[in-house]
C-alpha cells in the first residue's frame, strides 16, 4: 500500500534465464533481435516515466544501426529429414507445408480451407505482406500434407487453435523443442522460406519464378534467397571446365556423345 508522500521508485525488473546462443534449438542471436527489443524497451521506459515510475530513460539516445537481413541459412536434405522427424502433430504439418510452399508463418496459420484448391492444384494466399494475394502451385509434398490434415467441424481454419473460431497463434515452444531434438542450431522459422527458395534455385528455377512464388514486389528482395549450396556452385564450375575442354554438355551436367572441336591455338581466350 502506497503511503502519503511516498514517491514510487523505478520499476523492478526480475531476472530471467538466458539461453546460450550455442545451445541446439535456441533462438539465433542475430542483429534483428536488437532491432525489435531496443524500441520496445524505449517505449516501456517512456511509459514508466510518464507514470512517475522511472526517473530516467536509459535507452533514449541509442542510435539504431542498419539491419542486415541477408542471412544465408537453409536446411540440408539431412537436416530437413531430421527436423520433420522430430516435429509432431500440427507443428509437423505446418513445417512440412512451409518447406513445400515458402509461405510465411503468419500466412500459414491464417490459411482457411477456402484457400485450398485441390482440383487446380494451388493454394491462395489471401493476406500477403505486400498487400496483394498470390497463388502457389502445390508440390506433391504439399498436396500430400494438405490431404493429411483433418478438418475440424465448425472451423474454417487448417490449423484451428484452442479458442473456438480462431487459428493457432503460438508455435514457438514446440518449434524450438523440435530444433533441440533434431540438433539443428541457429535456425529460425522464417529460414524455412529461405530453404524453399534455395531449393527452387538449385532445381533450376529462374529468379522471376522464385519472385512470383515468394510474392516479392522487387527482384532485389528475391536475390537474397537465391544462394546456391557449395556443391551446386562446384557443378557450375565443372560445366565450365567441360565446356572449355571442348565437351558439349547439357544444363544438368550430362555430357553429350558428340564433342565440340577445340579452337585453334591462340584463339582460346575468353
Amino acid at each position: 500500500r502506497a503511503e502519503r508522500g511516498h514517491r514510487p521508485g523505478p520499476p523492478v525488473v526480475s531476472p530471467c534465464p538466458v539461453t546460450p546462443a550455442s545451445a541446439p534449438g535456441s533462438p539465433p542471436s542475430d542483429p534483428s533481435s536488437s532491432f525489435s527489443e531496443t524500441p520496445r524497451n524505449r517505449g516501456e521506459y517512456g511509459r514508466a516515466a510518464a507514470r512517475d515510475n522511472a526517473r530516467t530513460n536509459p535507452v533514449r539516445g541509442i542510435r539504431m544501426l542498419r539491419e542486415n537481413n541477408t542471412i544465408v541459412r537453409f536446411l540440408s536434405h539431412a537436416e530437413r529429414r531430421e527436423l520433420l522427424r522430430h516435429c509432431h502433430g500440427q507443428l509437423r504439418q505446418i513445417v512440412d507445408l512451409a518447406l513445400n510452399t515458402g509461405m510465411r508463418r503468419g500466412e500459414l496459420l491464417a490459411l482457411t480451407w477456402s484457400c485450398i484448391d485441390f482440383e487446380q492444384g494451388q493454394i491462395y494466399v489471401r493476406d500477403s505482406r505486400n498487400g496483394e494475394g498470390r497463388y502457389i502451385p502445390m508440390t506433391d509434398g504439399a498436396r500430400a500434407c494438405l490431404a493429411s490434415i483433418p478438418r475440424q467441424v465448425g472451423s474454417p481454419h487448417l490449423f484451428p487453435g484452442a479458442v473456438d473460431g480462431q487459428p493457432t497463434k503460438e508455435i514457438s515452444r514446440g518449434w524450438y523443442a523440435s530444433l533441440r531434438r533434431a540438433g539443428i542450431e541457429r535456425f529460425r522459422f522464417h529460414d524455412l522460406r529461405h530453404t524453399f527458395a534455395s531449393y527452387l534455385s538449385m532445381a533450376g528455377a529462374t529468379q522471376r519464378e522464385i519472385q512470383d512464388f515468394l510474392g516479392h514486389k522487387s527482384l532485389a528482395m528475391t536475390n537474397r534467397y537465391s544462394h546456391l549450396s557449395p556443391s551446386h556452385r562446384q557443378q557450375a564450375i565443372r560445366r565450365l571446365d567441360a565446356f572449355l575442354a571442348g565437351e558439349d554438355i547439357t544444363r544438368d551436367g550430362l555430357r553429350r556423345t558428340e564433342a565440340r572441336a577445340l579452337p585453334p591455338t591462340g584463339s582460346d581466350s575468353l
Side-chain angles (χ1 to χ4, degrees), residues 186-252:
R186 302 186 65 79
F187 192 80
R188 309 164 303 169
F189 189 92
H190 192 77
D191 290 327
L192 296 174
R193 179 172 164 88
H194 187 122
T195 299
F196 168 79
S198 297
Y199 287 175
L200 274 177
S201 182
M202 288 185 283
T206 66
Q207 292 297 289
R208 290 291 184 186
E209 290 169 336
I210 298 174
Q211 178 188 6
D212 180 59
F213 290 142
L214 296 180
H216 287 160
K217 282 196 171 182
S218 68
L219 199 57
M221 296 177 66
T222 306
N223 288 335
R224 61 177 176 171
Y225 291 102
S226 63
H227 307 285
L228 299 179
S229 68
S231 62
H232 283 74
R233 294 169 64 89
Q234 287 298 322
Q235 290 177 17
I237 292 299
R238 296 288 78 81
R239 289 198 294 270
L240 176 60
D241 286 339
F243 177 81
L244 296 177
E247 299 175 354
D248 190 9
I249 60 174
T250 61
R251 177 178 173 80
D252 57 6

Side-chain angles (χ1 to χ4, degrees), residues 4 15 140:
R4 181 177 297 179
D140 291 340

